[in-house]
Amino acid sequence: MLDIKIEKTTNPKPIPGPEDPLVFGTIFTDHMYVMEYCPEKGWHDPAIMPYQPISLAPSAMVFHYGQEMFEGLKAYKTEDGRILLFRPDKNAERANNSNRRLMIPEIDPEDFINAVKTIVEVDQAWIPTKPGTSLYVRPFVIATDPFLGVRPSNTYKFIIILSPVGAYYPEGLNPVKIWIEDKYVRAVRGGIGEAKTGGNYVASLAAQIKAHDEGYSQVLWLDGVERKYIEEVGAMNIFFKINGTVVTPVLNGSILPGVTRDTCIALCKEWGLPVEERRVSVEELEAAAKDGSLEEVWGTGTAAVISPVGHLRYEDDVFQIGDGGIGQISQKLYDTVTGIQLGKVEDKYGWTVEVK
Ligand SMILES: *Cc1c(COP(=O)(O)O)cnc(C)c1O
């Protein structure tokens, strides 16, 4: 494992207090982690330094060809003062799956996890403690060769920044309205849909704006070939409870394999619910909504953990889910996952990792 050099800021910023609003992704801590890659040395010289702008050539390849990977996870402070990460090994593993697809050199998972632990420890005073708050951790890699021309870069930077975030739903769990997109697609099989990379988000913007203009908060994507099968919600995976069975689209190569998705599948199975990972068509959902067997719908992702879905719109059809409120399984998943993350519910699976 590489040794991380630590240079602390001499000019610390004020840390937000419990009464300050923490709007997601707007506040950054005092430090950042940076590690460089070149073919001669591999990944080298990891360092924690004051949070600051980075200097890159305007020709840096990331600006032109989008070669970048990112991750997202959270650190929590427990009531007894411990600092916990939730399944960081899964993020390290997924980072390398994305890296391979994007022709970015792999990062030793031990160095990845050690980097996250060390930067979180350095900025631990920034971990908020009000219910529902946490420190969001954003690791990412960018291609830095000053070069125009399409090939993998030879040099890269691996950076981690931290952002204190508030409760995703300040008034508690709140059902969202979701737009099923029938024109634009996010990803196709064989493409980069299963890699966590900015390009997938650029592809999603036009539909997101369209959905927002129609009063919907998120877009639910269909498969890129037939536009018939449900894929995911862009920054969340999606689950349906149909006639007592929990159903989620099978990972088919164009869906991002969420850590929260994996967590929810394990918990539902533990609770004795039948879980099916398979193709789900819009027609099946429409029929289930009409005959009343579509009991619950929820999204899963690190930011919101669980997002209950109150209604879905497909073309001119609007279908309400259950009574439009929060489903029982959605609530139980939310309480259990956040309980484990905060060290309040027994961690049977060893999902939490203590920072120190
Ligand atoms: C990050 C992400 C998710 C959710 O993954 P988690 O690991 O649960 O946070 C889902 N879809 C996409 C496209 C994502 O980028």
Side-chain angles (χ1 to χ4, degrees), residues 70 72 91 94 186 196 201 232 234-237 256-261 300-303:
F70 74 91
N91 297 93
R94 185 173 64 191
R186 169 188 174 272
K196 208 165 173 73
Y201 283 79
E232 62 158 296
M236 289 194 293
N237 297 106
L256 198 288
V259 177
T260 323
R261 175 187 182 277
T300 64
T302 296

Side-chain angles (χ1 to χ4, degrees), residues 287-298:
K290 292 216 170 87
D291 72 15
S293 57
L294 182 58
E295 295 153 1
E296 275 186 55
V297 181
W298 67 89

Side-chain angles (χ1 to χ4, degrees), residues 1-2 19 29 55 65-66 89 91 106 124 135 141 170 178 182 191 197 232 237-238 258 331-332:
M1 198 164 66
L2 297 167
E19 298 318 315
T29 64
S55 173
Y65 311 109
D89 51 308
N91 297 93
E106 290 182 43
Q124 59 176 284
L135 187 67
V141 175
I178 287 194
D182 65 349
T197 181
E232 62 158 296
N237 297 106
I238 190 94
Q331 185 72 55
K332 189 172 173 188

Side-chain angles (χ1 to χ4, degrees), residues 95-112:
N96 278 337
N97 292 339
S98 300
N99 284 340
R100 277 193 296 278
R101 178 64 183 87
L102 302 165
M103 300 306 293
I104 294 170
E106 290 182 43
I107 298 163
D108 183 337
E110 261 196 73
D111 284 316
F112 182 102

